[in-house]
Amino acid sequence: MKNKTILLDHGSGGLAGQELISGLFLKHLGNPVLSVLEDSAVIETGVGRLAFTTDSFVVDPVFFPGGDIGSLAVHGTINDLAMRGARPLCLSLGMILEEGLSLADLELIVISIKESSEKAGVPVVTGDTKVVPKGKGDKVFINTSGIGTVPDRVTISAGEARPGDIILLSGTIADHGVTILTRRAGISIKGDLKSDTMALHRFVQALVEALPGTIHTLRDPTRGGMATALCEIAKTAEVGMEIEESGIPIRPEVEAACELLGLDPLYLASEGKCLAFVAPDRSRRALDIMRSQPEGKDASIIGVVTKGPAGRVVLKTAVGGARMVESLSGEPLPRIC
Amino acid sequence: MKNKTILLDHGSGGLAGQELISGLFLKHLGNPVLSVLEDSAVIETGVGRLAFTTDSFVVDPVFFPGGDIGSLAVHGTINDLAMRGARPLCLSLGMILEEGLSLADLELIVISIKESSEKAGVPVVTGDTKVVPKGKGDKVFINTSGIGTVPDRVTISAGEARPGDIILLSGTIADHGVTILTRRAGISIKGDLKSDTMALHRFVQALVEALPGTIHTLRDPTRGGMATALCEIAKTAEVGMEIEESGIPIRPEVEAACELLGLDPLYLASEGKCLAFVAPDRSRRALDIMRSQPEGKDASIIGVVTKGPAGRVVLKTAVGGARMVESLSGEPLPRIC
């Protein structure tokens, strides 16, 4: 490690990042709660369980179709809480501002934070602001951490996925990732490309309350995309998965942009979607509940959990073939969120 | 505001920062919990009160005598919880890494986080890592957020300071600030200048448990220094203060460095000290308890709270004069923490 340095790839949400986390952070900081590596930690307080999560946002550009770094930060942290079945209680807001940032732009971001936090019903209760000299940051970086309460008997986590579970996806994939990448590349695509950034806590709560004990795993496929999320869950739960490519919802303009840019939508971030692993006898009901809500109107059944081999995710393609799905690797897509 | 931009001064912890917070953040995000502007928010959960705090660290240099950005982040967040009388439960860790950062340096920082977190008994339970391209960050920025439980009947906050309260300081001031500034200026000072970065939660807990209900306000004088902390409390509690300059502990080498650099130690950060506002009849006992602990061996009584005018802090100088103490203003001392 002596002469090695941090690469952009370490931030892409793929294999390099996972190696950094296991090889460095968990090596030194590992403990039973942290090492689960879920979207949120769940901690016992003696008076009930809390979910706790943190996320830093460094997205470039700061403003993009469908949202901005402020709404993205609020939604991202709320969703990390929701993915453990928690009810979000409050958020913290840590800002790192670059000298020279326009105050008008900062105000737009703060207003966006206000609006998304009010709409979600999750207030910002504590904050911190730092300023770094010009050229030592990039406009604005935001950390949002969040606390939620975990209802009794809710034990949603990656390790709970089991053979036979039906895999549902709440809507289209790759909208956020492709919007950021085309915007950054200065490419204009026909159609209405925009980020899907959205809070999912009410959507998840409706699902969890209607189907107690049958939602085993939830995950929002952000950095690294759906492929990486599925591989991580398969590895953690020591199961396999079979995914039907034809079942994966994707907007035509997103597909077109991916073809143009040579990108695989399976590896591009969504910021308002979730994967749900559901007991087989309740999967139709789960799909109905998803589709009855605006956040899940395009929900779809995309596959099934198999006995293994552990960690193997197979994609059955539309033309009848099959290919192995791997975690994102060697493809630096930094600053997507 | 249209053509205004963020200045370094907005991050100094002084008046410009306070204006940014009131004029922008509170204007849009204000709510009863956030608007108290304490070191931590205290939230009612239905099953007990929680303290919640966030801090981003952008200190330059990353390694300094007495500590590094990792230990500073752990201690800073623990101390923000302690200043509300809370018992720290756990921390989150959000890292923003610059491409090209040496992995060996990163490992030193992670080991420092591990050691300070273990020593304090407060684990890191959730984390996040982002990478930004070279020139869009500066080595490493760290956000630590923290949760604590607030014991029943503990209501420590700035607004609780009242006329007659005795003001105690747990030790010497300005150690951290002067260490960072001399290091950054490349100045070598005789003697052993080093940061005082240290966790204060056990120290505070001993005080609060021994003297229930009589510790009204606690504050760690970080950015903006002791002067700014006192002015903020005086303003919030609508009281005045009289401070005896001769009572303020300061190490001779810190005083010498301040004279050399033309800096006022009252405005320089400490990272392991606290101010305590104590009911007059228990102030001697509080001082004894402070001095009986290693964190408070240099503790001192430095002044008294007066009826007002609200917000007025008067410093009685060693030579018999008196001067008004104001919040830090117009003096950009960025990246102290």
Side-chain angles (χ1 to χ4, degrees), chain A residues 40-84:
Chain A
S40 306
V42 171
I43 47 179
E44 295 285 350
T45 64
V47 288
R49 286 180 305 155
L50 290 178
F52 185 28
T53 190
T54 192
D55 247 313
S56 295
F57 294 84
V58 298
V59 63
D60 171 33
V62 163
F63 299 98
F64 46 81
D68 57 62
I69 192 170
S71 55
L72 191 67
V74 169
H75 297 153
T77 293
I78 287 175
N79 290 350
D80 279 350
L81 294 171
M83 294 308 122
R84 300 301 300 273

Side-chain angles (χ1 to χ4, degrees), chain A residues 204-215 282 285-286 289 293:
Chain A
V204 165
Q205 201 173 313
L207 204 59
V208 171
E209 282 176 4
L211 299 171
T214 61
I215 312 294
R282 310 313 302 273
R285 178 86 187 101
I289 296 169
Q293 302 181 75

Side-chain angles (χ1 to χ4, degrees), chain A residues 279-297:
Chain A
D281 57 333
R282 310 313 302 273
S283 59
R284 283 305 312 182
R285 178 86 187 101
L287 185 65
D288 290 345
I289 296 169
M290 280 188 169
R291 286 185 175 163
S292 71
Q293 302 181 75
E295 299 95 327
K297 62 182 167 44

Side-chain angles (χ1 to χ4, degrees), chain B residues 166-205:
Chain B
I166 301 300
I167 308 171
L168 288 85
L169 178 61
S170 70
T172 58
I173 59 166
D175 296 76
H176 178 76
V178 90
T179 302
I180 299 297
L181 289 173
T182 52
R183 190 46 61 134
R184 207 146 72 204
I187 296 167
S188 183
I189 307 275
K190 250 190 168 170
D192 186 27
L193 276 192
K194 63 175 186 181
S195 169
D196 57 339
T197 178
M198 182 166 52
L200 294 174
H201 58 310
R202 294 187 180 112
F203 172 78
V204 165
Q205 200 172 312

Side-chain angles (χ1 to χ4, degrees), chain A residues 139-256:
Chain A
K139 296 182 194 76
V140 50
F141 300 149
I142 298 182
N143 178 285
T144 37
S145 299
I147 306 180
T149 52
V150 186
D152 284 348
R153 286 184 295 277
V154 170
T155 57
I156 294 164
S157 79
E160 294 291 312
R162 58 198 75 164
D165 276 0
I166 301 299
I167 308 172
L168 288 84
L169 177 60
S170 70
T172 58
I173 59 166
D175 296 75
H176 178 76
V178 89
T179 302
I180 299 297
L181 288 173
T182 52
R183 188 50 57 138
R184 206 146 74 205
I187 297 167
S188 183
I189 306 275
K190 248 189 170 173
D192 185 27
L193 275 193
K194 65 175 184 181
S195 170
D196 57 339
T197 178
M198 181 166 53
L200 295 174
H201 58 310
R202 294 187 180 112
F203 172 78
V204 165
Q205 201 173 313
L207 204 59
V208 171
E209 282 176 4
L211 299 171
T214 61
I215 312 294
H216 299 146
T217 304
L218 293 168
R219 182 68 60 96
D220 56 338
T222 58
R223 268 190 302 177
M226 195 183 87
T228 307
L230 291 173
C231 289
E232 282 179 11
I233 294 167
K235 207 173 132 191
T236 304
E238 300 180 344
V239 294
M241 295 178 196
E242 279 181 21
I243 306 296
E244 293 282 348
E245 189 176 35
S246 59
I248 303 170
I250 181 162
R251 296 172 70 211
E253 53 269 49
V254 170
E255 202 161 15

